[in-house]
Amino acid sequence: MLDAILASTASNSGSPAVTAADFAALPLPESYRAVTVHKDEAEMFSGLTTREKDPRKSLHVDEVPVPELGPGEALVAVMASSVNYNSVWTSIFEPVSTFNFLERYGKSSPLAARHDLPYHIIGSDLAGVVLRTGPGVNAWKPGDEVVAHCLSVELESADGHNDTMLDPEQRIWGFETNFGGLAEIALVKSNQLMPKPRHLSWEEAASPGLVNSTAYRQLVSRNGAGMKQGDNVLIWGASGGLGSYATQFALAGGANPICVVSSPQKAEICRAMGAEAIIDRNAEGYKFWKDEHNQDPKEWKRFGKRIRELTGGEDIDIVFEHPGRETFGASVYVTRKGGTITTCASTSGYMHQYDNRYLWMSLKRIIGSHFANYREAWEANRLIAKGKIHPTLSKTYRLEETGQAAYDVHRNLHQGKVGVLALAPQEGLGVRDHEMRERHIDAINRFRNV
């Protein structure tokens, strides 16, 4: 299998050297290597603080059987994947054990029962090659080079047909379902698949998926903030996995990103992307909480004053929120009258507190945003493929090092995104369009070079 993939992608002509029929004829292995958590270890971190919980102790690389292929599904040979924060949550069993999700999903249908196992194969990104397609799949065939977005939907309810994120059976693949992308083979629904950007290597193509699509919906889509030219956009963690894409979308869309970072190194990354308004919150000493229970409005005001210094006296139109508890009170305060706070996560805590007077009396809006529908994910991937938005890959690990990769993300020791090689034997493979790659090589390597 791997020999066929490498032979196909080694072609300098830009066309596969191995045909769809060749791939369809390849025998599937009985088992494959996958990164898992174990159900009988779900209480292993009981009594520890979030920070004390170590993904290196809970993540395993196991040999697991290849799952049964169902209608509308595809088996993909995973060349590379990446670590997202949901992989960290899974590894530390917070806020709940993901086995709760798998048990609930498993009860929904006989086919879904495949997912309810004593191990959970995690991971919500991949770049790879289609191996098999199930009944009813016509748009994809064996040998297709693909990336996958992580929205898994059933679409049997009318609720999901205007926006698939509203489907009652909407789940995040590799987090709320099994057979995720941190593995040598993954099981996906065919409507998760998108074309792999031809100018990127496997690990580069795998890294944007979840965070790029999430940032697109949250900031650009009319389902999110509906950003427009000239908007002042406050971006927390602007050099991180989510924030680095929000920064790129703001710049590409004619908005003005105000990038909040935590170190001079991260500030330099934002400058390299083209941002000019940057706040190093550690250097400037912002402490939005006096103690565990009380926030400090004086710090909100100091923060707002600093923002206006950078914007020529203007307040924030859109806040790109994801830290949650630590920053949410400040986010609501600094947003202009009629402005929008859009939130997709709460990495510092889920229980937000803010002064509602600044929300209701100034007609501000809080919008919840969760991943993206297929159309939004497709558009976000299209911008990657066209070289308008670039991967933010900083470092790549081997599959057996995924625990360390997740630990680095958990402790915020990383920049941008960290990739994981699955079947790919080394970095740099899988590039089809070398000419386009050369045009964008500095941007592609931006996070590697800082």
Side-chain angles (χ1 to χ4, degrees), residues 14-239:
S15 300
V18 183
T19 68
D22 293 331
F23 274 104
L26 290 174
L28 289 177
E30 292 184 0
S31 63
Y32 62 100
R33 293 192 311 153
V35 177
T36 67
V37 289
H38 295 174
K39 191 172 187 176
D40 61 6
E41 295 180 345
E43 302 298 325
M44 68 184 297
F45 296 128
S46 294
L48 299 180
T49 66
T50 296
R51 184 171 177 80
E52 291 173 323
K53 297 176 182 179
D54 189 342
R56 296 172 296 187
K57 297 180 180 179
S58 58
L59 292 179
H60 309 272
V61 177
D62 293 330
E63 193 79 15
V64 298
V66 174
E68 173 193 355
L69 181 63
E73 295 180 339
L75 285 172
V76 180
V78 182
M79 299 302 286
S81 184
S82 74
V83 173
N84 294 290
Y85 216 90
N86 69 2
S87 299
V88 176
W89 290 331
T90 303
S91 71
I92 61 176
F93 306 102
E94 286 192 9
V96 297
S97 166
T98 52
F99 289 100
N100 294 350
F101 303 142
L102 302 185
E103 290 169 10
R104 192 178 309 126
Y105 186 29
K107 293 175 183 176
S108 65
S109 74
L111 202 59
R114 295 169 299 165
H115 292 256
D116 185 7
L117 295 169
Y119 57 87
H120 185 184
I121 304 167
I122 70 169
S124 298
D125 283 325
L126 71 73
V129 178
V130 175
L131 293 175
R132 294 284 193 279
T133 58
V137 178
N138 301 303
W140 305 97
K141 61 184 183 302
D144 285 343
E145 296 172 10
V146 295
V147 293
H149 70 78
C150 63
L151 176 62
S152 174
V153 289
E154 306 303 321
L155 291 182
E156 291 188 298
S157 166
D159 292 348
H161 282 262
N162 187 39
D163 175 8
T164 50
M165 285 303 300
L166 299 179
D167 184 31
E169 296 296 321
Q170 173 267 318
R171 294 174 176 84
I172 298 300
W173 161 71
F175 178 60
E176 295 168 300
T177 78
N178 219 321
F179 314 119
L182 284 164
E184 293 176 335
I185 293 176
L187 178 72
V188 300
K189 294 180 183 297
S190 65
N191 59 14
Q192 290 177 240
L193 297 176
M194 304 180 293
K196 173 190 170 291
R198 293 168 55 84
H199 66 295
L200 299 180
S201 67
W202 295 115
E203 65 276 9
E204 291 160 354
S207 67
L210 185 151
V211 286
N212 184 44
S213 299
T214 298
Y216 182 91
R217 180 182 174 105
Q218 185 177 354
L219 190 57
V220 179
S221 169
R222 56 187 161 187
N223 289 315
M227 183 191 74
K228 65 183 186 302
Q229 288 180 325
D231 278 344
N232 292 310
V233 182
L234 181 68
I235 301 172
W236 294 101
S239 71

